[in-house]
Amino acid sequence: MLISENLNINEKGHLTIGGCDAVELANHYGTPLYVMDENFIRNALREYKKSIDENYENGGMVAYASKACCFKEIHRIVMQEGCGIDVVSGGELYTAMQVGFPAERIYFHGNNKTESELRMALEYNVGRIVVDNLTELYLLSEISTSLGKKASIYLRITPGIEAHTHDFVKTGQIDSKFGITLENGDAIKAAKIAANLDGISLKGLHCHIGSQIFDEQPFILAAEVMLGFMEQVRRETGITLTELNLGGGFGIRYTNDDCPKEYSEYMRLVSGALKKKAAELNLPVPFIVIEPGRSIVAPAGITLYTVGNVKDIPGIRSYVSIDGGMPDNPRYALYKSRYTALIANKANQPANCKYTIAGRCCESGDLIQEDAMLQQCQRGDIMAVLATGAYNYSMSSNYNRLPRPAIVMVNNGKSRVVVKAETYEDLLRNDI
Ligand code: LLP
């Protein structure tokens, strides 16, 4: 079975996504090609939104973490679905503003926002600035006071929860560049300062414990710890904070070994624990913000490549080279991330050959997957790598001066380009 319900195999034995034949897409638009399924994205947003509405009577917001995949059309979709977005840079913020995204639904993150980014956020009146540290808090206070504004903020707290995931994507534990530490008293000090600073309006708290997490326990623990801290803030400052942003991090299926829960299940379990804790502490259930990124876009996307050389080294391994690689998907090179790949034009044939999938860069580490089971490969085949909708395009580069592929959005059998492929001219645009 293919890893996601939006993928199928048609009567020609070709892979389909969102009702489109992947081989036809590759022939029509060329490869490498990112393909994203609009319905999947919309359904994921709706499911998250529904589960927030069902579980939190004081309301909440699904803020798509646009670092997972950021381009104008995705922001339009998120906007149309009534969701918010999390941005982490002036560039992501600018992209959102260019499609007329409602500023009040924007959450601005980052552990080292620049002065000009903070100014930009204030000028656009973004909904919440998530302040990462005291340096930023004072800087923001200065800027907002000079602009005659009041910045609505959350404080990013490091609740000290370890999530079981790849080391590089763990962000909630105490040894982290992100946020203000809870355990050593820094967080309460920051809350007291924020409560009394000119140009600052402290609205709530934020935490994010990591990414690609399957277990609900760390989410529950984080919610409880954060509520405990809200109670401490009330006790020590007299302020009852009414908003809590619990970040993103919900895991997805990259291979059939991954078993993610339904989002509604996470929401039910976390909200249950959170409400119980709120009642114990006699706190109102806060307005809850969640920031899923990967789970909204990763399974919606596939990448199509054309197979080139197939190199068999007897007794060692077989390499299959494709016309993309680490510049369009650096995740195996960075994290040894697992992916499911298949030959789109032979999708109904047995995947009984072991290959290492190599990119086209002058770099031995430019691999997409080692020891992947694929259909027998030959030059001209179309390879599909599945669940590449998150952290592929957004982490892509022009290494070896390779232009970035186009992104094609598919929807009920129709396709359209939403990001054009880069040209050689584009590569030279800023060269003097
Ligand atoms: N909110 C905050 C504050 C975050 O830092 C992140 C991800 C998210 C939300 C969204 O998390 P998600 O739902 O996508 O797991 N490049 C890595 C992932 C880095 C995630 C960073 N923060 C990868 O390719 O796996």
Side-chain angles (χ1 to χ4, degrees), residues 326 332-333 363-368:
M326 65 191 291
Y332 189 78
E363 173 122 1
S364 309
D366 173 22
L367 303 175
I368 294 291

Side-chain angles (χ1 to χ4, degrees), residues 2-304:
L2 295 171
I3 56 168
S4 177
E5 72 273 15
N6 57 331
L7 304 172
N8 263 307
I9 299 173
N10 66 14
E11 66 291 346
K12 292 183 190 154
H14 293 179
L15 173 71
T16 66
I17 173 165
C20 291
D21 183 316
V23 181
E24 283 172 20
L25 291 173
N27 291 339
H28 184 74
Y29 295 104
T31 59
L33 184 70
Y34 294 118
V35 183
M36 297 192 85
D37 180 354
E38 182 171 351
N39 263 338
F40 186 98
I41 299 170
R42 288 189 187 274
N43 286 338
L45 290 166
R46 283 174 201 172
E47 236 183 274
Y48 271 123
K49 203 160 181 284
K50 184 163 162 262
S51 65
I52 284 275
D53 293 344
E54 282 173 359
N55 286 296
Y56 293 106
E57 54 275 13
N58 293 345
M61 174 71 77
V62 180
Y64 165 63
S66 67
K67 72 200 70 143
C69 193
C70 180
F71 54 86
K72 283 163 80 175
E73 188 69 357
I74 244 177
H75 285 193
R76 289 189 194 103
I77 292 171
V78 174
M79 175 165 71
Q80 287 160 7
E81 294 299 330
C83 295
I85 48 166
D86 136 7
V87 298
V88 287
S89 68
E92 288 184 356
L93 175 56
Y94 182 76
T95 310
M97 295 314 291
Q98 290 309 299
V99 301
F101 204 97
E104 69 276 10
R105 284 195 249 144
I106 300 180
Y107 298 77
F108 189 29
H109 284 276
N111 67 303
N112 195 20
K113 303 173 194 75
T114 66
E115 192 173 330
S116 67
E117 284 176 327
L118 290 172
R119 196 172 289 279
M120 183 177 172
L122 287 167
E123 280 164 358
Y124 282 143
N125 292 318
V126 308
R128 298 287 180 262
I129 297 176
V130 183
V131 172
D132 183 89
N133 53 69
L134 276 184
T135 310
E136 182 179 306
L137 184 62
Y138 289 124
L139 180 59
L140 183 62
S141 161
E142 261 172 46
I143 303 170
S144 58
T145 309
S146 74
L147 293 174
K149 298 200 172 211
K150 223 168 169 66
S152 294
I153 71 154
Y154 292 162
L155 288 176
R156 177 163 182 168
I157 307 298
T158 317
I161 311 292
E162 280 227 16
H164 297 282
T165 182
H166 194 288
D167 263 357
F168 290 178
V169 292
K170 247 190 250 168
T171 50
Q173 77 279 27
I174 188 162
D175 180 6
S176 169
K177 70 169 181 172
F178 297 104
I180 308 170
T181 310
L182 190 64
E183 275 107 316
N184 64 3
D186 282 356
I188 189 68
K189 274 186 218 146
K192 286 178 184 167
I193 294 168
N196 293 302
L197 214 51
D198 287 342
I200 298 289
S201 170
L202 177 61
K203 301 284 189 194
L205 304 173
H206 169 273
C207 72
H208 170 78
I209 55 168
S211 198
Q212 184 62 359
I213 302 169
F214 293 112
D215 185 2
E216 73 278 2
Q217 277 312 317
F219 290 113
I220 290 178
L221 219 67
E224 289 174 345
V225 169
M226 293 301 284
L227 272 187
F229 181 58
M230 283 174 127
E231 197 275 327
Q232 187 186 3
V233 171
R234 182 182 60 185
R235 199 171 357 104
E236 298 195 26
T237 68
I239 297 173
T240 304
L241 298 172
T242 53
E243 298 179 33
L244 178 58
N245 183 329
L246 292 170
F250 311 100
I252 67 125
R253 182 177 291 124
Y254 282 104
T255 74
N256 279 328
D257 294 340
D258 297 328
C259 298
K261 286 195 175 53
E262 298 283 325
Y263 317 141
S264 52
E265 188 59 7
Y266 282 114
M267 228 53 70
R268 194 181 62 75
L269 294 165
V270 174
S271 73
L274 193 138
K275 286 184 206 169
K276 188 161 165 269
K277 188 82 183 171
E280 269 168 39
L281 298 171
N282 193 25
L283 281 173
V285 175
F287 179 92
I288 295 291
V289 184
I290 54 164
E291 299 171 331
R294 187 191 311 272
S295 48
I296 288 170
V297 286
I302 64 173
T303 310
L304 299 175

Side-chain angles (χ1 to χ4, degrees), residues 402-422:
L402 293 177
R404 283 183 180 77
I407 305 179
V408 163
M409 193 73 82
V410 293
N411 192 356
N412 291 327
K414 294 213 167 65
S415 64
R416 66 188 195 279
V417 172
V418 289
V419 177
K420 290 188 278 185
E422 285 178 346

